[in-house]
Amino acid sequence: MDVTIIGCGYVGLVTGVCLAHTGHTVRGVEKDAKKLKMLLSGECPIFEPGLHDLLRETQQSGQITFTDNVKSAVKDAEVVYLCVGTPPKADGTVDMSFLEGAGKEVCDALAELNTEFLTTIVVKSTVPAGTNRKLHNFLKQQTKANVAVVSNPEFLKEGTAVADCLRPDRIVIGGESPEAFRMMRRLYDTLVEQEENFITMNWESAELTKYAANSMLAARISFMNEMTILCEHYGADVEDIRKGIGSDSRIGPAFLRAGCGYGGSCFPKDVAAMEHISKHAGYDNLFVNAIQTVNKNQKKRFVDKIQEKLGRPIKDATIAVWGLAFKADTDDIRESSAIDVITYLLERGASVKAHDYKGMDNMKQLFGDKVEWCADPVTAAAGADAVALCTDWPQYTTLPFRKISATMNMPIIFDGRNCLNRDVMRENGFQYYPIGRPPVEQHLRLKQRV
Ligand code: UDX
């Protein structure tokens, strides 16, 4: 089918490239001149594993092309994706101007082309209940184009976005037009393995499905994070509990890993939006309040523990923070736990050295010279009074721990992602504090600071 993607940011580009890979003819529209230039020369403007290779492949085969011209891009389009920003406004509602602007531009171009066929306009953005209906009504009033709006919420995870897009658990389509539903079913034909995984519903249900999914996942994490308090009090191990409950098929194993809090561009924003839309509906959503409060507390508790277990006052201490991105395999630091952890450490007077495999440049923009930026984790730990691990980069699990222990001022590791091996920690002479798991506390080889 002929597909146009308006906005080649994260979601737009992944969607466009994956649809091109499945055989559709895709035209991407990007108005940002710098980004367009990169795309035209085959460069990938974002870091996402596997995306660059797929972009190159689909561009070379001519399945995907890029332009800044909406009119030429929608000429043959059966389906047009609007992948533009829907930033929250100060009052918590969504700024619809980009969505309406892009939708109107597409409809004006279609009206001029005078095509009698239906064009399906797809909204991928996470938007409050009622937004797609509003956009549909707005476009119907503004133009004569024959269009139907559908909501198709996005469930991509950063770092595995290409695989998530090519092998989705389910595809949710909200709308009112049976013809548009049929077009979307045809478009996703190669991705739908079982018919029940292609789910159609009204706009509002699709919009709320997205908030419900992310809030449910964030709730599972906050629930396990709350369990770590009980585990630490009673000497239980949250990892054993995770296995113990995750093996119950009614519960399932995913998103039960405790740690120093969730972050990213979606969970914090969507849970907060759920709170807002609940208020708008006239009630205080106690459940989503609790998810957020637990997440906030978890980051503070992590720093409280560092302060409590350190061998010296925190204001005299140097802490090495390993991991700045909100999770491994991304350079994205939005709402990353490391931001709060570093902020609390600096507020309490500690000196901070920091390392990340991809997120360092982004974090530098936030903290500038308040933090010492280190090219590798070994350098960051050298001379430090403790390491605080905030991101589960697998590389951190295979470091030369004997050398690290010998070069630290005090060999203490606070593992905010429970990803290091406690035996390796013990054998290399560390005090080791995971979250919600028994610590390794052994006699420390305390050194005098020179
Ligand atoms: C999330 C949703 O998973 C995805 O469906 C939606 O489209 C966008 O938001 P993403 O933000 O890319 O995806 O990352 P995800 O892998 O879900 O992790 C989010 C945060 O939760 C990270 O900070 C991660 O470290 C944390 N997390 C995840 C945990 O603390 N424990 C877990 O068990 C899983």
Side-chain angles (χ1 to χ4, degrees):
M1 290 173 75
D2 275 288
V3 181
T4 302
I5 309 275
I6 308 289
C8 296
Y10 188 81
V11 169
L13 191 58
V14 172
T15 307
V17 166
C18 289
L19 287 173
H21 178 70
T22 59
H24 299 295
T25 304
V26 179
R27 276 170 294 270
V29 178
E30 179 52 59
K31 296 274 173 106
D32 180 314
K34 201 167 137 212
K35 243 192 230 169
L36 180 64
K37 197 169 160 218
M38 286 179 87
L39 289 167
L40 288 171
S41 60
E43 277 179 74
C44 193
I46 52 168
F47 171 75
E48 179 62 36
L51 185 62
H52 198 179
D53 289 347
L54 225 51
L55 172 65
R56 200 175 306 132
E57 174 201 307
T58 50
Q59 217 169 3
Q60 277 168 5
S61 66
Q63 287 301 124
I64 191 164
T65 51
F66 297 97
T67 174
D68 57 1
N69 188 309
V70 169
K71 197 168 168 195
S72 69
V74 300
K75 195 163 81 62
D76 301 312
E78 294 158 89
V79 177
V80 179
Y81 283 79
L82 301 183
C83 297
V84 293
T86 48
K89 291 202 281 195
D91 64 358
T93 58
V94 162
D95 181 352
M96 296 259 301
S97 56
F98 298 107
L99 211 52
E100 287 180 347
K104 172 123 178 23
E105 197 176 351
V106 167
C107 288
D108 287 347
L110 290 171
E112 249 182 73
L113 293 162
N114 211 9
T115 164
E116 75 215 68
F117 297 112
L118 179 77
T119 304
T120 299
I121 305 236
V122 187
V123 176
K124 286 241 123 202
S125 320
T126 305
V127 286
T131 307
N132 280 277
R133 189 178 292 278
K134 257 194 235 159
L135 179 69
H136 180 86
N137 294 340
F138 171 81
L139 295 179
K140 287 284 166 200
Q141 281 161 12
Q142 295 282 321
T143 82
K144 292 193 168 35
N146 181 15
V147 293
V149 172
V150 300
S151 158
N152 174 204
E154 189 48 77
F155 300 107
L156 302 180
K157 296 186 289 302
E158 287 186 29
T160 55
V162 171
D164 292 342
C165 192
L166 291 174
R167 284 183 293 282
D169 283 345
R170 77 311 204 178
I171 292 168
V172 170
I173 307 290
E176 280 188 341
S177 156
E179 190 181 348
F181 286 160
R182 282 193 293 276
M183 284 171 89
M184 295 308 289
R185 177 64 188 81
R186 220 155 37 88
L187 183 70
Y188 287 134
D189 199 40
T190 53
L191 309 183
V192 178
E193 282 180 4
Q194 284 166 315
E195 209 45 52
E196 60 267 32
N197 296 343
F198 183 81
I199 310 165
T200 56
M201 53 187 77
N202 71 13
W203 284 304
E204 289 75 11
S205 306
E207 290 160 336
L208 284 179
T209 295
K210 173 66 195 236
Y211 287 124
N214 276 352
S215 298
M216 174 74 86
L217 294 170
R220 287 169 68 99
I221 299 169
S222 276
F223 178 83
M224 292 308 280
N225 284 340
E226 195 79 335
M227 284 300 299
T228 63
I229 303 176
L230 286 180
C231 289
E232 286 174 16
H233 184 84
Y234 289 108
D237 186 333
V238 76
E239 273 297 286
D240 289 338
I241 295 175
R242 180 178 70 80
K243 290 177 198 147
I245 63 171
S247 51
D248 183 328
S249 61
R250 293 169 304 176
I251 296 174
F255 283 76
L256 293 179
R257 288 196 183 276
C260 57
Y262 64 75
S265 62
C266 290
F267 284 179
K269 174 171 76 59
D270 291 353
V271 180
M274 185 88 143
E275 185 182 20
H276 177 80
I277 59 175
S278 304
K279 281 213 176 87
H280 190 72
Y283 80 106
D284 199 11
N285 192 323
L286 299 177
F287 191 72
V288 293
N289 289 350
I291 299 170
Q292 297 175 96
T293 307
V294 171
N295 196 49
K296 204 161 153 246
N297 289 350
Q298 194 70 356
K299 303 171 200 175
K300 188 168 164 293
R301 285 184 63 245
F302 186 55
V303 179
D304 289 345
K305 192 195 278 180
I306 296 175
Q307 181 161 5
E308 183 198 334
K309 301 289 182 188
L310 264 185
R312 55 166 31 104
I314 195 158
K315 65 177 177 44
D316 301 328
T318 298
I319 312 294
V321 175
W322 283 356
L324 306 171
F326 83 95
K327 66 175 188 180
D329 274 329
T330 176
D331 63 353
D332 195 342
I333 59 152
R334 281 175 288 177
E335 302 283 337
S336 161
S337 296
I339 296 177
D340 289 43
V341 169
I342 294 176
T343 305
Y344 288 133
L345 288 170
L346 293 174
E347 275 172 11
R348 297 178 194 192
S351 302
V352 175
K353 297 169 85 180
H355 168 265
D356 191 88
Y357 291 98
K358 295 232 178 280
M360 208 127 79
D361 286 346
N362 287 333
M363 205 59 124
K364 274 184 194 168
Q365 292 179 17
L366 273 189
F367 289 101
D369 57 10
K370 290 191 197 123
V371 166
E372 185 183 333
W373 307 101
C374 302
D376 62 80
V378 180
T379 311
D385 296 297
V387 164
L389 188 156
C390 295
T391 312
D392 54 349
W393 285 102
Q395 293 93 315
Y396 288 141
T397 63
T398 53
L399 292 174
F401 284 106
R402 188 179 300 181
K403 180 168 154 198
I404 291 170
S405 159
T407 56
M408 284 183 72
N409 192 45
M410 289 193 285
I412 309 180
I413 297 192
F414 296 90
D415 183 355
R417 295 292 165 197
N418 289 345
C419 61
L420 302 180
N421 182 306
R422 53 187 293 110
D423 293 330
V424 173
M425 295 295 107
R426 181 188 296 105
E427 285 153 14
N428 287 288
F430 285 97
Q431 297 270 39
Y432 174 62
Y433 294 99
I435 292 195
R437 312 192 71 187
V440 173
E441 290 182 308
Q442 52 190 340
H443 180 68
L444 268 191
R445 170 194 49 73
L446 283 180
K447 282 197 232 163
Q448 282 308 312
R449 185 174 284 199
V450 281

